[in-house]
Amino acid sequence: MPYDIDPRLLRAFLAVAEELHFTRAAARLYVAQQALSRDIRRLERELGTPLFVRTTRQVSLTADGTRLLPLARRVLTAHDELAGAFRAAPERPLLVDVGVPIGTAHGVLEAARDRVPDSCELVARFHSGLTGAAVEVAAGRLDVSFGRIAALPPGIRAGLDDQPVRLEPMAVLLREDHPLAARPAVALAELAGETLYAAAGNPQTAEWTDLAERLFAGRGIAAAEPFPEIEGSQEFVRVVRKRGWSVLASVEFIEVPGMVLRPLVDPVPLSPVSMVWRRGLRHPGLDALRAAARELAERRGWLVPPGSAWWLPEQDARVMGVRG
């Protein structure tokens, strides 16, 4: 009597014993019927006894086959329990804040999803602003977010790691009837005397408001008065249209009916986008996100400033590794 029977042979026996039909048993195991018959013959040789009575019309168990059936079930159950006890636990879902379902962060997320197996889940979250999201990341309630890290409080930033992703050109969102709306691009100097909404009053997006104030300074551009946090793209569209704001934005932005998006030039203002995560985080989804961000940045030149004149605060240039 052998002491080391291949579990595959016992699984083949169990399938035939329960189906009493070689074709159905082969389909259940996703193997060819010839391979299944070969495994049954091998098991019979190793045990030294026939296990099935085969006729042209039916398959039935022999007395030894009937005796083996409960033993095979117990052995295979124990084998599965052993494998399960030492099988790596599936990775938990990685929570990735992309702000809105468009633009740089969302593009990185979609590219990363193509890199991971179905068992690795990257779940999108839609927070408004990195200032608020970074607190959630540091506390472990989010895993990854994107945005401008130079303006984050030092205490929060100390608990994060980051990777530069893109120098995103900025734009202005204008009403269709605005005098500048017919232009293909808007020079910064042409916004002198204008008032632009830049999320003032929303503490979750303080880094964006700070960037806008630096851009507006000395150019005669006013920031719209503080307004409570606007949650969700639908509510943003409603409020912006109702109040008739022009909006400081990025070149990839949600559509707002009745408004047009125009890139800013002379100089091109840049919004620095980094990916941030909790220091010490290890997850295959994070590896995929970092690789996707690097690939997109290299292929699309995301970290190369435009050839024409451009603007970026000095502190952001240092963080993003930009010179000039």
Side-chain angles (χ1 to χ4, degrees), residues 86-99:
F86 291 92
R87 186 180 296 124
E91 295 287 351
R92 66 172 180 82
L94 195 75
L95 304 182
V96 185
D97 167 40
V98 296

Side-chain angles (χ1 to χ4, degrees), residues 1-5 43 45-49 64 67-68 71:
M1 174 67 69
Y3 290 95
D4 187 16
I5 298 176
L43 180 61
R45 284 197 306 271
E46 291 191 8
L47 294 177
T49 183
D64 284 333
R67 186 159 61 95
L68 175 62
L71 298 174

Side-chain angles (χ1 to χ4, degrees), residues 142-313:
L142 263 179
D143 293 309
V144 179
S145 190
F146 294 79
R148 178 183 176 234
I149 69 170
L152 292 180
I156 294 294
R157 190 172 167 186
L160 304 175
D161 280 327
D162 64 90
Q163 176 178 318
V165 175
R166 185 178 183 184
L167 298 169
E168 194 171 60
M170 297 167 74
V172 61
L173 191 66
L174 300 166
R175 298 183 310 279
E176 287 180 338
D177 59 356
H178 193 285
L180 298 174
R183 308 282 182 90
V186 175
L188 276 173
E190 294 178 302
L191 291 176
E194 294 282 337
T195 298
L196 271 62
Y197 174 71
N202 180 2
Q204 308 298 315
T205 57
E207 80 289 344
W208 177 256
T209 304
D210 175 77
L211 184 66
E213 290 173 348
R214 292 170 184 268
L215 177 63
F216 296 167
R219 290 187 166 89
I221 307 171
E225 62 185 21
F227 192 86
E229 178 183 358
I230 305 171
E231 293 190 8
S233 56
Q234 289 185 338
E235 185 66 2
F236 176 83
V237 169
R238 185 192 70 80
V239 173
V240 167
R241 293 188 63 187
K242 180 178 180 179
R243 300 184 74 86
W245 284 331
S246 296
V247 179
L248 183 68
S250 297
V251 289
E252 294 182 61
F253 201 71
I254 61 172
E255 290 189 15
V256 180
M259 302 187 77
V260 295
L261 190 68
R262 296 292 180 258
L264 292 171
V265 294
D266 301 329
V268 176
L270 301 174
S271 169
V273 180
S274 294
M275 183 169 68
V276 301
W277 61 93
R278 189 170 56 263
R279 185 157 292 170
L281 176 64
R282 298 289 182 270
H283 194 287
L286 175 61
D287 297 337
L289 285 165
R290 297 190 66 187
R294 282 193 299 269
E295 180 182 313
L296 288 171
E298 291 173 5
R299 178 154 44 93
R300 300 181 182 180
W302 275 357
L303 291 172
V304 179
S308 57
W310 49 273
W311 173 92
L312 185 69

